[in-house]
Amino acid sequence: MGWSTQATARDVAALANVSAQTVSRVANGAENVSPETRARVLEAMAKVGYTPNGAARALRSGRSDMIGIVVHHLTRTGEANIVQAVATTAHDRGYAVTLMDASTGAASDLNEALARIGPGVAGVVVLGLETSDVDRLKAPGRLPVVVADSRSLAHPAVGFDQRGGAQQAVGHLLGLGHACVHMLAGPQSSLQSRLREHAWREFLTAAGRPVPPVLRGDWSPASGYAAGQVLAADREVTAIFVANDEMAAGLMRAFHEAGRRIPDEVSVVGFDDVLAEYLWPPLTTVRQDFSAVGDGLVRLLLQRIGSPVADPDPVSTVVPAHLVIRASSGPPPGHR
Amino acid sequence: MGWSTQATARDVAALANVSAQTVSRVANGAENVSPETRARVLEAMAKVGYTPNGAARALRSGRSDMIGIVVHHLTRTGEANIVQAVATTAHDRGYAVTLMDASTGAASDLNEALARIGPGVAGVVVLGLETSDVDRLKAPGRLPVVVADSRSLAHPAVGFDQRGGAQQAVGHLLGLGHACVHMLAGPQSSLQSRLREHAWREFLTAAGRPVPPVLRGDWSPASGYAAGQVLAADREVTAIFVANDEMAAGLMRAFHEAGRRIPDEVSVVGFDDVLAEYLWPPLTTVRQDFSAVGDGLVRLLLQRIGSPVADPDPVSTVVPAHLVIRASSGPPPGHR
DNA sequence: CTGAAAGCGCTTACAG
DNA sequence: CTGAAAGCGCTTACAG
């Protein structure tokens, strides 16, 4: 019964009067076992509480039922959501999940994490690749790797439709009657931020509107607060698209302190929907379906594990984003 | 060089002109190897990029360099923080971390997760045990288990000083001059909530203050909003201690909508410090040091793994909480 | 300080 | 449909 005396395939074999590899066949769901034998083996397994020894299986077969996941900022709600979804989907398909954290999002740290986690796993999901050096990501040998929310030439990816999300945000604000939409972007090193900014610029230009100079933060509420102080002083500003919810929180705080009312005087739209419903006023924002990304990552990875030959044309998937309208956006002052 | 042709101890042995188990000794840091031999082996290891095969090692030695972590709500910031800290501390000590999620926080689901993760890991950290049935938690065999933030007779735990945190919150509000402090607690099934509530009641009683009827939510902002509508209608209320930040966010929203000003008319103090700095006004709250808990859990677990004999007197550790004062609390109206 | 032998529990060919 | 033999890459006694 004790932990130290786990039942082995031989024990089951002896009890069921078969050989060890018939036990193995049953454990692995092989076809070529007679129904009676199978039943007898299953019964014996249940009786002794048999669980195949994963180490032995991995050693002999060279296969692993473990996938690795490299994270950087598990603390960020988005990343935590993806990890949760990855774990759930992986477990449903019989895979265990090993977590490895990289100290920073830089390619060198992610590569170190990959090297540490690589041996023993069947493949790896990489999250938190914020920097633009996606293509400096190098997996040891032919270890299958998929990355979250980044474009990569070397590895398939599952990401959000940044462009569509930004278009919806800007379109919503223009539709409310705002003549112009300002933007608070994230750091230039972030691909996500650049994609959102590009879509914003593109959309305004296509609509024949002026494109005001962009402000930049570092994703933190403090940087949003600083930008908010600048924007609150400018009476021309009536609508702001902020590249994430955290900066939007800081920005709105600056507006509250300056006595400028949201949405009566200024409309604000965020991105992510991780904080938005808690803020005051509740923030209109672009929601990302994190669990769809986690799920897609596992599917993609397992497909790659199935055929470990390098795919000449890596599959990439895009998960749609959609706008959630709350109370922080409305028509401009004096409109209608 | 490829993944499929990982170098083995034999390759290293051949290159360094030693036997395989000398390689093993060097890989495991054994003392009884001459400096010259060690240097030669290390060089050979580096040359071929040797990484010991974990499966083989685990199979032969019966030991595992993997610890499991059972989570329930990775999405909650607190849990994500603890997981991150567990992973970091574990990796620093040479352990890999395997993640298993339980669908709910109920003991039965956690036990199922334990059974799945048990084989192959050296020990398990259990998080998210919110329900009161801690002692229905059953690990297979003699698998070492430690639990986060719960009292348990069966397993050692690392938790927060709920009592001290609640005392600081209530003491802060009384110290500002409030005659009474209302409370919005979490669900009764939560041990954490009960501890916070008990400390609040105890503190008010000791201070000779009236103890108003407690309100209860389910940790969600929606439940905080509902409670906030009730409390905002009561002009007697000048100070509220809320059992977590999310409910405090909802509660403050209800006060904003009712036109009651924070902190001028009503002071609010939360618990957790996961959301507080983003809220408006920035929330005074009790901060929990999640990474200290994660770190403590790993230390405790490794200690247990070292001596797997059941400890008759399980160690329990308490991590102090401290109040972070922000803008949501101040003196009562008409006080100074 | 170093090595030859055995075996952890499985699965993979190979026979029948 | 079933089984006897061999071996995955290590580490654990045991010798020297």
Side-chain angles (χ1 to χ4, degrees), chain A residues 62-84:
Chain A
R63 278 181 267 108
S64 167
D65 64 347
M66 197 135 61
I67 68 176
I69 176 163
V70 172
V71 302
H72 159 40
H73 251 2
L74 189 54
T75 292
R76 294 208 177 131
T77 312
E79 221 163 285
N81 273 278
I82 296 178
V83 169
Q84 174 104 307

Side-chain angles (χ1 to χ4, degrees), chain A residues 20 28 34 56 65 94 132 141 163 208 223 226 242 261 269 279 308 312 318 327:
Chain A
N28 292 285
S34 77
D65 64 347
S132 34
R163 185 157 174 269
S223 68
V242 185
R261 285 173 304 142
V269 175
L279 302 180
V318 171

Side-chain angles (χ1 to χ4, degrees), chain A residues 102-323:
Chain A
S103 32
T104 76
S108 58
D109 280 316
L110 291 170
N111 284 338
E112 193 192 312
L114 272 175
R116 287 193 60 179
I117 208 178
V121 301
V124 178
V125 174
V126 176
L127 308 188
L129 195 55
E130 268 196 48
T131 57
S132 34
D133 41 24
V134 195
D135 289 313
R136 301 227 322 269
L137 194 70
K138 255 172 73 180
R142 58 186 53 164
L143 180 70
V145 169
V146 299
V147 301
D149 203 22
S150 289
R151 303 299 162 276
S152 166
L153 299 175
H155 309 288
V158 177
F160 296 106
D161 182 10
Q162 311 286 352
R163 185 157 174 269
Q167 286 171 340
Q168 287 180 55
V170 179
H172 166 67
L173 290 166
L174 292 185
L176 285 167
H178 293 273
C180 174
V181 175
H182 283 71
M183 177 163 190
L184 170 54
Q188 277 195 289
S189 62
S190 160
L191 179 63
Q192 281 74 32
S193 175
R194 290 207 306 275
L195 291 169
R196 292 168 198 178
E197 180 183 336
H198 183 260
W200 160 79
R201 193 181 305 278
E202 192 181 53
F203 198 96
L204 285 182
T205 305
R209 306 304 174 88
V211 179
V214 70
L215 279 89
R216 251 177 251 293
D218 62 4
W219 295 134
S220 74
S223 68
Y225 182 74
Q229 290 178 314
V230 172
L231 291 167
D234 183 350
R235 294 279 152 180
E236 301 277 297
V237 176
T238 68
I240 309 167
F241 172 41
V242 185
N244 78 337
D245 284 4
E246 302 198 5
M247 291 194 297
L251 178 138
M252 292 207 294
R253 178 169 163 184
F255 275 77
H256 289 136
E257 287 180 4
R260 298 206 57 191
R261 285 173 304 142
I262 300 170
D264 304 344
E265 299 178 51
V266 180
S267 287
V268 178
V269 175
F271 211 107
D272 285 350
D273 198 23
V274 294
L275 214 54
E277 62 170 319
Y278 305 118
L279 302 180
W280 181 258
L283 183 70
T284 296
T285 194
V286 177
R287 164 176 246 152
Q288 310 195 78
D289 185 352
F290 295 106
S291 61
V293 169
D295 192 73
L297 285 166
V298 175
R299 289 170 190 276
L300 195 56
L301 182 61
L302 294 187
Q303 175 193 315
R304 299 266 296 173
I305 290 170
S307 59
V309 203
D311 194 319
D313 184 24
V315 196
S316 286
T317 316
V318 171
V319 171
H322 74 274
L323 189 70

Side-chain angles (χ1 to χ4, degrees), chain B residues 232-302:
Chain B
D234 183 349
R235 294 279 152 180
E236 301 278 294
V237 176
T238 68
I240 309 167
F241 172 42
V242 185
N244 77 336
D245 284 3
E246 302 197 5
M247 292 196 296
L251 179 137
M252 291 206 296
R253 179 169 162 187
F255 274 77
H256 289 135
E257 288 180 3
R260 300 205 56 191
R261 286 173 302 143
I262 300 170
D264 303 344
E265 299 178 54
V266 179
S267 288
V268 178
V269 175
F271 211 105
D272 286 350
D273 199 23
V274 294
L275 216 52
E277 62 171 318
Y278 306 117
L279 301 179
W280 181 258
L283 183 69
T284 296
T285 194
V286 177
R287 163 175 248 152
Q288 308 194 80
D289 185 351
F290 294 105
S291 62
V293 169
D295 192 74
L297 285 167
V298 174
R299 288 169 192 275
L300 195 55
L301 182 61
L302 294 187

Side-chain angles (χ1 to χ4, degrees), chain B residues 150-231:
Chain B
S150 290
R151 301 302 161 277
S152 167
L153 299 175
H155 309 287
V158 178
F160 296 107
D161 183 8
Q162 310 285 353
R163 186 158 174 269
Q167 286 172 340
Q168 287 179 56
V170 179
H172 166 67
L173 290 166
L174 293 185
L176 286 166
H178 294 272
C180 175
V181 174
H182 283 69
M183 175 162 192
L184 170 54
Q188 277 195 288
S189 62
S190 160
L191 180 63
Q192 280 75 34
S193 175
R194 292 206 306 274
L195 291 170
R196 292 168 198 178
E197 181 183 336
H198 183 261
W200 160 78
R201 193 182 305 277
E202 192 182 53
F203 198 95
L204 285 182
T205 305
R209 306 303 175 90
V211 179
V214 71
L215 278 87
R216 249 177 254 293
D218 62 4
W219 295 134
S220 74
S223 67
Y225 181 74
Q229 290 178 314
V230 173
L231 291 168

